[in-house]
Amino acid sequence: MPGSSRPDEIDFDRGPAHGAGAGVLMFVVFQAMILGLFQSGVISDDVGLWEPLRFAGITQGIYVLPSLLFFVNRKCPRMAGGFAVVAAVVLLGSAAAMIAS
């Protein structure tokens, strides 16, 4: 970017699809780790296969804000927007699942 004092802190903004892809990838990886811990008995062994997904919105909150700040600080607002959309869908879906049960 012209006029930037630190060009090494600016990335190419690849767009909302890449941000959404990063959000989906992070969701899948973290939920797989949590599910693995539940199924292996490290956390609890009396939980159904899909039970950890009920709290996906809460566990996702651990990494959403730092990731959004990373995208914003690297001057990638479109990627941050795509990532935020995935985070909002997961959070709303998790809230709906908690209310429905």
Side-chain angles (χ1 to χ4, degrees):
M1 289 207 122
S4 172
S5 61
R6 303 243 356 228
D8 60 326
E9 291 185 0
I10 297 173
D11 288 333
F12 177 70
D13 192 358
R14 293 177 182 89
H18 280 85
V24 169
L25 180 66
M26 289 176 77
F27 171 77
V28 169
V29 168
F30 279 106
Q31 291 306 311
M33 290 185 329
I34 292 168
L35 180 63
L37 290 172
F38 271 106
Q39 295 302 313
S40 66
V42 172
I43 296 176
S44 174
D45 57 357
D46 60 348
V47 176
L49 184 62
W50 301 106
E51 194 68 25
L53 286 176
R54 289 184 53 207
F55 305 103
I58 296 167
T59 57
Q60 189 185 35
I62 295 169
Y63 62 85
V64 167
L65 187 60
S67 299
L68 281 173
L69 290 175
F70 174 78
F71 287 134
V72 170
N73 287 338
R74 300 296 288 188
K75 308 290 190 270
C76 299
R78 295 184 314 154
M79 288 177 68
F83 189 83
V85 167
V86 170
V89 167
V90 171
L91 181 62
L92 292 174
S94 180
M98 287 180 157
I99 291 169
S101 62

